[in-house]
Amino acid sequence: NKVAPMRQREYRTLQGVLICVPVDEEVDIKKLEYDFIEAIFRVKDVDRYDPIIFVVTKMDLEPSERRLDEATLQALAQKYGISVTYTSAKEGKGVNDTIERMVQLCLEQEQRQHAQDASRSESKSRRRTACRIS
């Protein structure tokens, strides 16, 4: 697959992921899980990556037009701790809330990363001073 190396480069620099899932299509949940979620985890070498949101789109459609198995999507989201939002660009519903939620998750992730980096740095500096010989 020629796209895989490009996708891996992009995954390494991700700060947040919005995975759009149209409500009027049948989605292969296993493919979604393997091609996106697990691929992100593999490239980033983590067991969990917080800033991911499933964005269920086209919620303005009538129930008879919906083909997405929402229960299966919710189960997948719960398995990985992923947020799910519902949007309708046509009606202007949920779009701003989704973007605001993503920004919030990215900022929280950044704060956790800074705290971890500071903790590591402090730990290293303590080790250096403990080994000082006068």
Side-chain angles (χ1 to χ4, degrees), residues 122-134:
E122 185 178 309
S123 176
K124 285 180 183 178
S125 68
R126 271 191 256 136
R127 279 187 258 150
R128 284 187 211 124
T129 58
C131 294
R132 182 177 289 164
I133 299 174
S134 301

Side-chain angles (χ1 to χ4, degrees), residues 18 20 53 55-57 85-105:
L18 296 172
C20 297
I53 299 176
V55 183
V56 181
T57 63
T85 63
Y86 296 87
T87 64
S88 168
K90 182 178 179 180
E91 295 178 352
K93 293 182 179 174
V95 177
N96 288 338
D97 293 338
T98 298
I99 300 301
E100 288 172 11
R101 178 72 179 135
M102 177 53 71
V103 169
Q104 178 186 15
L105 288 172

Side-chain angles (χ1 to χ4, degrees), residues 50-67:
D50 283 331
I52 299 177
I53 299 176
F54 285 137
V55 183
V56 181
T57 63
K58 302 181 183 181
M59 289 304 293
D60 53 277
L61 296 177
E62 296 296 322
S64 62
E65 297 175 277
R66 298 178 185 185
R67 300 176 63 199

